Amino acid sequence: MLKRNLMVAAVLAGLTGAAAAQDAYNVGLTGALTGPAAGTYAPAVDGLRIYIDKVNAAGGVNGKKVNLILLDDSAQPAKAAANATRLVNDDKVVLLLNASLSSTFAPTIAESQKGNVPLIFASSVCPKDVYPPANALQFCTTAFAANYDSRAVLDFVKATAKEPVKLGLSAMAIPISRGEIDYAEELSKTLGMTPVSKQIIPPPTPDYTPFATLIKDAGANWVYSWAPWVTQVRTLEGLRRLGWTGDYIAWAHLEAENELARLKDGKLYVVGANALFQEDLPIHKEIAAAAKAANSQYPVNQMAEGWIAGMVIEAALKAAGWPANTDKVTASLSNLKVDLKGLRGGELQWTKDNHFRTKQYYRVYRFDEAKGAIVRVRDWQAFDVK
Amino acid sequence: MQLAINIAVLTAIYALIACGYVLIYRVSRVLNLAHGELMMLSAYLLITTASLFSKTPFIALGAAIFLSLCVGVLVYLFLMRRMTGEMVLAAVLTTVALGVLLRGLVVLIWSAQQQNPAQALGWVNHSLPVFGGRISAAGAALIATTALVYVGLFLFLRFSRYGIRMRAAGQNPLLAAQRGISLHVIYALAWGLSTLTGALAGILISLDSGLDSTMVLIGLKAFPAALVGGLDSLVGALLGSLIIAAAEVLMIYYVDALLSDVVPFLVLILMLVFRPWGLFGTREELDRV
Amino acid sequence: MSSREPRASGYFRSSYAQGLRLLETRTQWTALVLFLTALGIFPFTATSFQLDLACQVFLAAIGAIALMLLTGYAGQVSLGHAGLIAAGAFTAGILFKEFGAKFWITIPAAAVVGALIGLIFGLPSLRLRGLYLAVSTLALHFIVVYLGGEYETKRGFSTGILIDAPRVGDFIIRDRKIWYFVLLSFAAAALLISLNLLRSRTGRAWAAIRSHETIAEALGIGVPAHKLLAFVISSSMTAVAGALFGYYRGFVSVEAFSLFLSIQYVAMIIIGGMGSLLGAILGAVFVTLLPYVIEYAVAQLPNARSYAGMLAAFNYAAFGVVMILFLIFEPQGLVGIWRRVQNYFLLWPFKQKPLGGGRK
């Protein structure tokens, strides 16, 4: 027994090596860098890493380097909890970031509250706490957000549809996606649409056809899905295989740009808050060049979320000054305006009560079969966040 | 009609996976809980062979299937051979550990990103009209492959020299060994064949609907099918798959889609309570002192 | 830990009471006191990350001890351990959210729920053995996770149920040092309960059932009753561990209880060494710390950041390899190694075991 204890002590002593740079801003992130969910988060986190490296190479913020600590939680809540504990208590970060599945939110929030450290959700879905009136410590830079997305989608459907809309809905059987689809179902009724079928699909489903059959047989002419990309696209593929020819609208996840080109489906609309990389704005060129220089293994067009988070962090730390503490950073985050240089429809603004953004912009894209390219269907549409 | 087609496709998926469990269990009484992972590995191998032989999709397919066969044999030679004669439970746990290892390796080699083997092969999954319903090409291929595999296995086990040896080894390993049958060869063959059928399932599923690590869970869901039918019976595996697939699809249609995830296991528990050895399985012998 | 034989060579017991004693020699007493002191000092010298790891180890140890009772002693295989942990955590979470129940209600309630589930899922064990039993416990996992998920969604706790820190009067248990001692005492209680069960009639009956059911029955042991008892006790303990997990982490959500967690618990008792409580504890320590050790090792490599994306995959692979190595080369687990080391020193300068001496 004694031996066991010595062994534990030795191992633990070894683990403390995590060097906390004294002369730098410590910023910590727990994210799904690996594991089944990583496809959605790892590219964004890599974008953030490249951005911060670029900032450091240019002399840092207020003359100090930003020490970005990346910890992997594989989307497991227990691992996220351990990571957050370590970041808050041992690494003494002034800012905590979460880039993972919603299952890791609860433990990360718990640690952020205990340690009074501000927490930014970057590339993970925005929890309701960041909407006005916002929780003092929680912020969100991510493009997609519960409720507002469905409002934008249904608004577009209403404006586009020529005949009465019979709406089919599809969600993945995870709480966050189900909640949003339930919300969309209620909202569609108030907009004069008829929700005809709502399918909640368990994630390890070998065959989506049974679900697609039900939606098709219910007579849907529009189908809306707000779920991880797999569910969105497999439901569509299932429907098309059954010969369904209606319009399909889904959220433009990071993968959307590549996937639209792969599917070549003229009636698949994606709604998003980020400009696609094919617009080729100067900022997109900049990201592509930086990613190339950093030899990143991830597709460049999935890095925008990380880049935006990086811009926000840089601006917040700059305003917080040196030496920064958690209170100063929270204060500067609560009164922040960041020019996103076209990555989104407008600047990102946070106020004391609104930690989501004062205006949320949406754009709709689809693949044009005649042109053989992705085209804009509707340009930036602003929704006030109150 | 679409209902029947949906059930048929799902039955084919489960049956093709389940026969992998049955093959190994039948000869060595070991339950291979890494079957789902081996299936996934095969589908990923296809991604690699597809990029090597991008011009000739059939060579790529053939190479991936052949490699999977080799993987199965190698797994037996380097890992499971050491567990023959050990407690069955230890062997089963070894397969669990193998599964965990494979899951890690797959991500290390191919990354966690969603893959599309169909696109890599330059192949489009058209849908075909049948009997007033529609079926995807990959779905049709699944049904055809399953039928072929089962007919092939029946003939192999019934008439071929090695098939008969396999059955003998399954019935009484000691006696079989004394009659000059090399158990290691038979076991390695069983592992190879099982991985091969798993590879067919994995490749066809991934051609139909893309590939990521959830493939493992599909492998696990097919497992109740094998058990309900009886772990050492191929006919049982077929019938068990039909029962489980029908229960699942009917549940999605008429009750609650979310229950479809649990239903295979509920059927399984019912079966275990009333007839633990399955519909067509052999009843285990009683303990003797 | 539970020494059935004295430390020194030879067998000196002259009464049954001596055979039942937990500690026999002065050296054992000294070791125990030293060990307890070390455990007591640890939280005052450790960083909070290390404290967190220690707490995780204690939680894992409770679960591993419970599984060891069921699998390692009574011989009943279970792959549904994560389901039971989830059941305990959800009992605590639901009682807290719906009725605002205090922890002295929720934790016993979790124990009761665990016992009930254990009873129900012990029933198949009366007919099933080995593999089939393992599979039926696997079903348990899926059912519990389904029910938990339904509750979360229906009640709108889509990112998990948040549980407030437990409060005694005006005092809130939030400080990690206090948690350390709370969890330590629960783990110690679990260990003591198990030790006592194992040296009493129940434990002997379990061992007999594991060795040979038919013979056990012939010897007059109530096989069905004892099997169910093993399930009930083990599940109850596991559910308490689950409830403690909920309180310690401050949240409950289905995603925290994946099938992989069950595999980890099974790995703990294999790696630790089947049929030994010390093994359960060693296994819990090993499996809990392994990913962190790997993470630390990877961080030491040059250009560590570029490997960061590979870490979980690497962890998975390493975990699989370690499990395989233990299964093939050291089926006795860490305890086996520990005993061999002990024997080496006990028998020195001899290599072989002298008659009647040494520890088995």
Side-chain angles (χ1 to χ4, degrees):
Chain A
M1 287 306 272
L2 189 64
K3 194 176 163 223
R4 173 206 134 184
N5 195 40
L6 287 178
M7 188 190 87
V8 173
V11 168
L12 292 179
L15 286 171
T16 29
Q22 287 303 312
D23 207 26
Y25 293 100
N26 281 344
V27 174
L29 175 140
T30 173
L33 304 184
T34 50
T40 326
Y41 301 100
V45 174
D46 214 41
L48 171 63
R49 176 185 72 92
I50 293 167
Y51 186 90
I52 297 291
D53 283 349
K54 194 182 69 102
V55 168
N56 284 339
V61 182
N62 298 328
K64 304 288 169 189
K65 294 255 186 300
V66 180
N67 178 27
L68 179 67
I69 307 160
L70 301 177
L71 297 180
D72 177 29
D73 59 31
S74 318
Q76 291 165 15
K79 198 81 206 303
N83 285 347
T85 311
R86 174 173 171 182
L87 291 170
V88 169
N89 297 300
D90 295 340
D91 296 321
K92 305 265 184 267
V93 297
V94 289
L95 177 60
L96 201 57
L97 299 158
N98 175 303
S100 191
L101 282 186
S102 53
S103 53
T104 65
F105 286 10
T108 325
I109 292 171
E111 286 304 325
S112 124
Q113 305 283 12
K114 272 189 219 165
N116 202 31
V117 182
L119 166 65
I120 299 181
F121 296 93
S123 81
S124 36
V125 62
C126 295
K128 294 223 171 71
D129 286 334
V130 302
Y131 299 159
N135 178 304
L137 287 174
Q138 295 173 32
F139 303 84
C140 185
T141 60
T142 314
F144 59 108
N147 301 3
Y148 290 98
D149 290 355
S150 292
R151 265 177 236 177
V153 164
L154 295 179
D155 183 64
F156 171 77
V157 172
K158 199 175 174 194
T160 316
K162 292 172 189 86
E163 45 203 65
V165 174
K166 285 188 191 162
L167 190 65
L169 296 155
S170 138
M172 187 190 259
I174 53 175
I176 194 115
S177 171
R178 287 173 71 180
E180 182 65 6
I181 287 300
D182 287 345
Y183 173 81
E185 187 183 18
E186 290 310 310
L187 186 65
S188 66
K189 287 180 195 154
T190 64
L191 293 172
M193 307 174 187
T194 340
V196 286
S197 172
K198 179 172 73 175
Q199 295 306 316
I200 296 160
I201 307 174
T205 298
D207 187 10
Y208 279 66
T209 327
F211 299 100
T213 313
L214 286 176
I215 296 179
K216 183 184 171 230
D217 291 350
N221 53 7
W222 277 84
V223 173
Y224 167 41
S225 177
W226 194 87
W229 186 258
V230 214
T231 302
Q232 294 186 164
V233 74
R234 287 198 191 168
T235 313
L236 172 71
E237 284 175 330
L239 281 164
R240 289 289 185 249
R241 237 170 262 158
L242 294 170
W244 182 75
T245 51
D247 297 279
Y248 193 92
I249 185 158
W251 178 253
H253 285 289
L254 301 176
E255 304 93 323
E257 196 161 353
N258 297 340
E259 290 278 289
L260 280 182
R262 175 178 76 86
L263 292 163
K264 299 192 172 52
D265 188 326
K267 282 178 149 188
L268 163 64
Y269 300 89
V270 293
V271 177
N274 289 343
L276 294 189
F277 269 68
Q278 63 155 25
E279 317 247 333
D280 215 16
L281 303 169
I283 181 82
H284 288 139
K285 292 202 179 90
E286 189 188 332
I287 299 176
K292 198 164 178 217
N295 214 354
S296 173
Q297 53 172 329
Y298 297 103
V300 175
N301 59 17
Q302 302 187 7
M303 286 185 177
E305 285 292 340
W307 210 261
I308 292 169
M311 289 167 142
V312 167
I313 294 170
E314 188 188 6
L317 292 179
K318 195 171 232 164
W322 177 266
N325 57 28
T326 55
D327 289 337
K328 279 191 199 162
V329 176
T330 313
S332 78
L333 284 171
S334 306
N335 182 16
L336 194 73
K337 227 183 217 185
V338 184
D339 177 13
L340 299 179
K341 299 183 182 159
L343 285 176
R344 292 211 178 126
E347 60 191 6
L348 182 140
Q349 190 181 358
W350 284 337
T351 62
K352 197 166 180 314
D353 285 334
N354 188 338
H355 294 171
F356 174 57
R357 60 218 68 163
T358 46
K359 263 188 185 3
Q360 164 85 330
Y361 302 86
Y362 289 99
R363 215 177 223 179
V364 185
Y365 295 93
R366 76 180 173 90
F367 187 83
D368 192 315
E369 286 148 313
K371 286 187 195 157
I374 300 169
V375 293
R376 251 184 249 164
V377 185
R378 182 155 87 158
D379 207 2
W380 295 122
Q381 187 88 9
F383 288 79
D384 282 327
V385 178
K386 281 184 209 114
Chain B
M1 198 54 225
Q2 192 61 45
L3 175 70
I5 294 174
N6 291 342
I7 292 180
V9 172
L10 200 59
T11 306
I13 291 179
Y14 284 159
L16 198 52
I17 304 172
C19 74
Y21 287 112
V22 171
L23 275 171
I24 291 181
Y25 187 83
R26 184 165 177 155
V27 295
S28 61
R29 304 282 133 183
V30 170
L31 188 61
N32 175 18
L33 285 180
H35 197 57
E37 281 86 352
L38 285 168
M39 226 169 89
M40 173 172 76
L41 180 69
S42 311
Y44 274 105
L45 283 175
L46 176 64
I47 299 271
T48 302
T49 55
S51 67
L52 287 179
F53 308 100
S54 49
K55 298 265 162 54
T56 45
F58 282 100
I59 295 184
L61 274 173
I65 292 169
F66 177 72
L67 279 178
S68 314
L69 180 81
C70 298
V71 166
V73 174
L74 288 178
V75 162
Y76 179 76
L77 287 183
F78 286 101
L79 185 64
M80 298 313 292
R81 194 162 62 94
R82 294 173 167 279
M83 300 312 288
T84 34
E86 295 272 345
M87 269 172 36
V88 170
L89 192 66
V92 175
L93 289 174
T94 310
T95 65
V96 171
L98 172 69
V100 175
L101 171 64
L102 286 179
R103 259 188 254 181
L105 282 183
V106 161
V107 177
L108 281 178
I109 300 172
W110 287 280
S111 93
Q113 305 250 310
Q114 164 101 17
Q115 310 264 10
N116 273 297
Q119 192 189 19
L121 285 177
W123 184 71
V124 184
N125 190 9
H126 290 292
S127 78
L128 324 160
V130 235
F131 311 124
R134 291 184 85 87
I135 187 169
S136 70
L142 255 169
I143 295 180
T145 312
T146 308
L148 275 177
V149 162
Y150 270 79
V151 170
L153 281 177
F154 277 126
L155 294 177
F156 172 73
L157 287 175
R158 188 113 191 99
F159 298 112
S160 82
R161 182 178 294 253
Y162 273 92
I164 294 168
R165 286 182 183 173
M166 235 164 156
R167 282 192 293 155
Q171 265 171 16
N172 192 333
L174 187 66
L175 212 57
Q178 284 171 341
R179 296 285 299 189
I181 294 174
S182 167
L183 284 186
H184 285 312
V185 171
I186 294 296
Y187 287 165
L189 184 65
W191 272 88
L193 279 180
S194 157
T195 316
L196 177 85
T197 55
L200 289 172
I203 287 172
L204 286 169
I205 295 172
S206 68
L207 284 177
D208 200 19
S209 51
L211 173 60
D212 60 12
S213 58
T214 50
M215 176 78 78
V216 174
L217 293 168
I218 298 173
L220 201 66
K221 277 179 87 176
F223 169 66
L227 224 118
V228 165
L231 263 177
D232 54 356
S233 155
L234 279 176
V235 187
L238 209 51
L239 196 68
S241 305
L242 180 63
I243 292 174
I244 296 284
E248 205 176 315
V249 174
L250 291 175
M251 199 56 85
I252 294 172
Y253 267 69
Y254 298 111
V255 191
D256 180 3
L258 285 171
L259 273 175
S260 71
D261 227 11
V262 194
V263 151
F265 288 91
L266 286 176
V267 176
L268 177 68
I269 288 186
L270 276 181
M271 202 65 206
L272 285 175
V273 169
F274 293 107
R275 208 179 146 91
W277 53 92
L279 289 175
F280 288 87
T282 326
R283 204 170 173 166
E284 312 244 324
E285 277 181 44
L286 287 174
D287 268 358
R288 280 171 215 265
V289 179
Chain C
M1 174 156 333
S2 79
S3 47
R4 303 226 176 78
E5 281 113 272
R7 285 279 166 177
S9 54
Y11 192 88
F12 299 118
R13 290 173 190 138
S14 50
S15 72
Y16 282 116
Q18 276 179 356
L20 285 178
R21 273 161 67 179
L22 289 178
L23 295 165
E24 286 173 305
T25 60
R26 207 173 297 152
T27 331
Q28 283 179 327
W29 274 107
T30 333
L32 179 71
V33 170
L34 278 178
F35 177 62
L36 286 180
T37 330
L39 276 182
I41 295 173
F42 176 74
F44 301 99
T45 58
T47 65
S48 57
F49 174 61
Q50 292 166 344
L51 266 182
D52 183 52
L53 285 186
C55 291
Q56 284 186 48
V57 167
F58 293 143
L59 280 170
I62 303 177
I65 288 173
L67 188 61
M68 186 62 91
L69 285 185
L70 186 67
T71 308
Y73 285 96
Q76 310 298 307
V77 187
S78 165
L79 289 179
H81 217 57
L84 285 166
I85 297 180
F90 269 96
T91 309
I94 292 172
L95 285 177
F96 171 77
K97 272 287 172 198
E98 302 297 327
F99 309 104
K102 299 278 187 290
F103 75 95
W104 56 80
I105 298 172
T106 56
I107 289 184
V112 172
V113 169
L116 274 176
I117 296 181
L119 190 65
I120 296 169
F121 274 83
L123 284 176
S125 77
L126 303 184
R127 275 175 71 91
L128 305 176
R129 230 168 288 161
L131 282 183
Y132 291 100
L133 180 61
V135 173
S136 79
T137 53
L138 195 64
L140 160 77
H141 174 263
F142 283 94
I143 292 168
V144 171
V145 165
Y146 165 75
L147 292 177
E150 279 301 284
Y151 173 79
E152 272 185 43
T153 318
K154 293 270 147 69
R155 296 284 288 119
F157 306 123
S158 55
T159 56
I161 309 167
L162 288 175
I163 304 183
D164 289 353
R167 158 200 290 269
V168 187
D170 281 339
F171 183 72
I172 302 173
I173 306 182
R174 183 168 286 158
D175 186 15
R176 221 164 277 279
K177 284 196 186 65
I178 300 170
W179 264 116
Y180 173 90
F181 286 108
V182 170
L183 293 176
L184 174 62
S185 40
F186 268 97
L191 182 63
L192 269 182
I193 292 173
S194 310
L195 278 175
N196 284 336
L197 275 171
L198 290 176
R199 61 190 176 137
S200 65
R201 201 182 173 80
T202 323
R204 304 289 151 102
W206 286 345
I209 292 174
R210 184 189 49 172
S211 303
H212 206 295
E213 269 184 38
T214 321
I215 296 183
E217 184 112 47
L219 286 174
I221 293 168
V223 172
H226 276 99
K227 271 188 178 175
L228 284 183
L229 190 66
F231 269 97
V232 166
I233 292 175
S234 163
S235 311
S236 177
M237 258 174 161
T238 313
V240 169
L244 287 172
F245 171 89
Y247 275 112
Y248 173 63
R249 285 299 185 206
F251 81 97
V252 177
S253 88
V254 276
E255 287 96 339
F257 310 104
S258 59
L259 201 55
F260 185 62
L261 189 67
S262 291
I263 297 179
Q264 277 182 312
Y265 274 97
V266 175
M268 282 178 205
I269 61 172
I270 296 171
I271 291 174
M274 279 287 186
S276 153
L277 288 178
L278 175 61
I281 296 169
L282 289 178
V285 174
F286 189 90
V287 172
T288 314
L289 296 187
L290 181 68
Y292 295 96
V293 172
I294 292 175
E295 202 165 287
Y296 174 73
V298 170
Q300 302 308 304
L301 293 174
N303 203 8
R305 257 207 182 152
S306 51
Y307 305 114
M310 295 290 185
L311 207 57
F314 200 71
N315 265 329
Y316 255 93
F319 182 66
V321 169
V322 168
M323 236 174 118
I324 289 176
L325 289 180
F326 268 98
L327 278 162
I328 292 182
F329 296 108
E330 191 53 87
Q332 306 266 316
L334 289 168
V335 166
I337 298 176
W338 166 238
R339 289 198 185 128
R340 249 201 323 269
V341 172
Q342 250 182 346
N343 269 338
Y344 178 81
F345 286 107
L346 274 176
L347 299 175
W348 195 85
F350 302 110
K351 223 172 173 180
Q352 304 297 331
K353 198 180 265 191
L355 260 184
R359 278 160 58 83
K360 273 184 204 157

mmCIF file of all heavy atoms in Angstrom, chain A residues 8 25 37 42 50 52 113 128 155 182 237 251 273 290 296 315 342 345 362:
data_model
loop_
_atom_site.group_PDB
_atom_site.id
_atom_site.type_symbol
_atom_site.label_atom_id
_atom_site.label_comp_id
_atom_site.label_asym_id
_atom_site.label_seq_id
_atom_site.Cartn_x
_atom_site.Cartn_y
_atom_site.Cartn_z
ATOM 1 N N VAL A 8 2.022 6.834 -6.731
ATOM 2 C CA VAL A 8 1.073 7.884 -7.084
ATOM 3 C C VAL A 8 1.736 9.249 -6.948
ATOM 4 O O VAL A 8 1.676 10.093 -7.838
ATOM 5 C CB VAL A 8 -0.177 7.827 -6.191
ATOM 6 C CG1 VAL A 8 -1.064 9.023 -6.460
ATOM 7 C CG2 VAL A 8 -0.924 6.541 -6.435
ATOM 8 N N TYR A 25 0.013 36.189 -21.307
ATOM 9 C CA TYR A 25 -1.408 35.988 -21.016
ATOM 10 C C TYR A 25 -1.694 34.492 -21.120
ATOM 11 O O TYR A 25 -1.489 33.908 -22.181
ATOM 12 C CB TYR A 25 -2.279 36.706 -22.036
ATOM 13 C CG TYR A 25 -2.216 38.208 -21.997
ATOM 14 C CD1 TYR A 25 -1.435 38.911 -22.895
ATOM 15 C CD2 TYR A 25 -2.995 38.913 -21.073
ATOM 16 C CE1 TYR A 25 -1.398 40.291 -22.879
ATOM 17 C CE2 TYR A 25 -2.970 40.298 -21.054
ATOM 18 C CZ TYR A 25 -2.162 40.984 -21.962
ATOM 19 O OH TYR A 25 -2.150 42.351 -21.942
ATOM 20 N N ALA A 37 -16.113 13.320 -32.265
ATOM 21 C CA ALA A 37 -16.687 14.627 -32.589
ATOM 22 C C ALA A 37 -15.644 15.574 -33.164
ATOM 23 O O ALA A 37 -15.954 16.692 -33.551
ATOM 24 C CB ALA A 37 -17.320 15.233 -31.346
ATOM 25 N N ALA A 42 -11.831 20.235 -34.248
ATOM 26 C CA ALA A 42 -10.378 20.310 -34.375
ATOM 27 C C ALA A 42 -9.914 21.335 -35.416
ATOM 28 O O ALA A 42 -8.971 22.085 -35.154
ATOM 29 C CB ALA A 42 -9.808 18.926 -34.674
ATOM 30 N N ILE A 50 -3.265 28.843 -35.036
ATOM 31 C CA ILE A 50 -2.469 29.532 -36.046
ATOM 32 C C ILE A 50 -2.593 31.046 -35.875
ATOM 33 O O ILE A 50 -1.605 31.781 -35.970
ATOM 34 C CB ILE A 50 -2.924 29.092 -37.461
ATOM 35 C CG1 ILE A 50 -2.563 27.625 -37.659
ATOM 36 C CG2 ILE A 50 -2.276 29.953 -38.535
ATOM 37 C CD1 ILE A 50 -3.219 26.999 -38.866
ATOM 38 N N ILE A 52 -3.218 32.710 -33.085
ATOM 39 C CA ILE A 52 -2.475 33.167 -31.892
ATOM 40 C C ILE A 52 -0.966 33.114 -32.156
ATOM 41 O O ILE A 52 -0.221 34.014 -31.761
ATOM 42 C CB ILE A 52 -2.849 32.310 -30.664
ATOM 43 C CG1 ILE A 52 -4.341 32.482 -30.333
ATOM 44 C CG2 ILE A 52 -2.001 32.676 -29.457
ATOM 45 C CD1 ILE A 52 -4.739 33.831 -29.813
ATOM 46 N N GLN A 113 -17.462 29.154 -13.111
ATOM 47 C CA GLN A 113 -18.153 29.866 -12.022
ATOM 48 C C GLN A 113 -17.349 29.783 -10.734
ATOM 49 O O GLN A 113 -17.187 30.772 -10.024
ATOM 50 C CB GLN A 113 -19.541 29.259 -11.767
ATOM 51 C CG GLN A 113 -20.441 29.192 -12.976
ATOM 52 C CD GLN A 113 -21.061 30.539 -13.337
ATOM 53 O OE1 GLN A 113 -20.653 31.562 -12.823
ATOM 54 N NE2 GLN A 113 -22.018 30.513 -14.249
ATOM 55 N N LYS A 128 -27.993 29.098 -24.122
ATOM 56 C CA LYS A 128 -28.941 30.199 -23.966
ATOM 57 C C LYS A 128 -28.441 31.261 -22.995
ATOM 58 O O LYS A 128 -28.881 32.410 -23.038
ATOM 59 C CB LYS A 128 -30.288 29.654 -23.490
ATOM 60 C CG LYS A 128 -30.965 28.779 -24.519
ATOM 61 C CD LYS A 128 -32.459 29.102 -24.614
ATOM 62 C CE LYS A 128 -33.109 28.409 -25.775
ATOM 63 N NZ LYS A 128 -33.243 26.955 -25.568
ATOM 64 N N ASP A 155 -37.816 31.935 -41.731
ATOM 65 C CA ASP A 155 -38.037 33.201 -42.417
ATOM 66 C C ASP A 155 -37.705 33.053 -43.905
ATOM 67 O O ASP A 155 -38.442 33.492 -44.769
ATOM 68 C CB ASP A 155 -37.141 34.273 -41.773
ATOM 69 C CG ASP A 155 -37.359 35.641 -42.389
ATOM 70 O OD1 ASP A 155 -38.485 36.151 -42.237
ATOM 71 O OD2 ASP A 155 -36.418 36.164 -43.026
ATOM 72 N N ASP A 182 -37.725 20.946 -31.832
ATOM 73 C CA ASP A 182 -39.014 21.167 -31.154
ATOM 74 C C ASP A 182 -39.414 22.635 -31.255
ATOM 75 O O ASP A 182 -40.568 22.978 -31.513
ATOM 76 C CB ASP A 182 -38.922 20.767 -29.674
ATOM 77 C CG ASP A 182 -38.878 19.262 -29.493
ATOM 78 O OD1 ASP A 182 -39.199 18.558 -30.467
ATOM 79 O OD2 ASP A 182 -38.506 18.800 -28.396
ATOM 80 N N GLU A 237 -29.815 12.445 -48.172
ATOM 81 C CA GLU A 237 -29.480 11.368 -49.111
ATOM 82 C C GLU A 237 -30.556 10.288 -49.097
ATOM 83 O O GLU A 237 -30.941 9.762 -50.140
ATOM 84 C CB GLU A 237 -28.109 10.769 -48.759
ATOM 85 C CG GLU A 237 -26.959 11.668 -49.182
ATOM 86 C CD GLU A 237 -25.604 11.154 -48.730
ATOM 87 O OE1 GLU A 237 -25.523 10.484 -47.673
ATOM 88 O OE2 GLU A 237 -24.614 11.440 -49.420
ATOM 89 N N TRP A 251 -28.336 23.561 -41.676
ATOM 90 C CA TRP A 251 -27.354 24.512 -41.190
ATOM 91 C C TRP A 251 -26.015 24.312 -41.902
ATOM 92 O O TRP A 251 -25.600 23.185 -42.146
ATOM 93 C CB TRP A 251 -27.177 24.372 -39.676
ATOM 94 C CG TRP A 251 -26.139 25.321 -39.190
ATOM 95 C CD1 TRP A 251 -24.885 25.018 -38.783
ATOM 96 C CD2 TRP A 251 -26.255 26.745 -39.135
ATOM 97 N NE1 TRP A 251 -24.207 26.163 -38.471
ATOM 98 C CE2 TRP A 251 -25.023 27.237 -38.678
ATOM 99 C CE3 TRP A 251 -27.269 27.650 -39.442
ATOM 100 C CZ2 TRP A 251 -24.783 28.607 -38.508
ATOM 101 C CZ3 TRP A 251 -27.028 29.000 -39.269
ATOM 102 C CH2 TRP A 251 -25.799 29.465 -38.807
ATOM 103 N N ALA A 273 -23.846 31.652 -40.905
ATOM 104 C CA ALA A 273 -23.498 33.000 -40.487
ATOM 105 C C ALA A 273 -22.080 33.360 -40.896
ATOM 106 O O ALA A 273 -21.643 34.487 -40.715
ATOM 107 C CB ALA A 273 -23.657 33.141 -38.977
ATOM 108 N N ALA A 290 -1.695 31.741 -43.985
ATOM 109 C CA ALA A 290 -1.187 31.409 -42.647
ATOM 110 C C ALA A 290 -1.263 29.908 -42.406
ATOM 111 O O ALA A 290 -0.342 29.304 -41.848
ATOM 112 C CB ALA A 290 -1.989 32.159 -41.578
ATOM 113 N N SER A 296 -0.746 23.222 -41.690
ATOM 114 C CA SER A 296 -1.883 22.615 -40.994
ATOM 115 C C SER A 296 -2.431 21.446 -41.779
ATOM 116 O O SER A 296 -2.454 21.441 -43.005
ATOM 117 C CB SER A 296 -2.986 23.655 -40.792
ATOM 118 O OG SER A 296 -4.128 23.027 -40.280
ATOM 119 N N ALA A 315 -8.505 41.181 -29.266
ATOM 120 C CA ALA A 315 -9.109 42.472 -28.930
ATOM 121 C C ALA A 315 -9.385 42.592 -27.440
ATOM 122 O O ALA A 315 -9.132 43.635 -26.816
ATOM 123 C CB ALA A 315 -10.406 42.644 -29.722
ATOM 124 N N GLY A 342 -15.375 40.892 -42.776
ATOM 125 C CA GLY A 342 -16.129 40.195 -43.807
ATOM 126 C C GLY A 342 -16.338 38.715 -43.558
ATOM 127 O O GLY A 342 -17.036 38.054 -44.322
ATOM 128 N N GLY A 345 -21.426 38.823 -41.489
ATOM 129 C CA GLY A 345 -22.160 39.930 -42.096
ATOM 130 C C GLY A 345 -21.840 41.284 -41.498
ATOM 131 O O GLY A 345 -22.069 42.323 -42.115
ATOM 132 N N TYR A 362 -27.375 36.294 -41.336
ATOM 133 C CA TYR A 362 -27.455 34.982 -41.982
ATOM 134 C C TYR A 362 -27.403 35.118 -43.489
ATOM 135 O O TYR A 362 -27.965 36.035 -44.056
ATOM 136 C CB TYR A 362 -28.758 34.278 -41.606
ATOM 137 C CG TYR A 362 -28.799 33.819 -40.176
ATOM 138 C CD1 TYR A 362 -29.461 34.576 -39.213
ATOM 139 C CD2 TYR A 362 -28.192 32.633 -39.794
ATOM 140 C CE1 TYR A 362 -29.501 34.163 -37.900
ATOM 141 C CE2 TYR A 362 -28.235 32.206 -38.481
ATOM 142 C CZ TYR A 362 -28.890 32.975 -37.531
ATOM 143 O OH TYR A 362 -28.923 32.559 -36.245
#
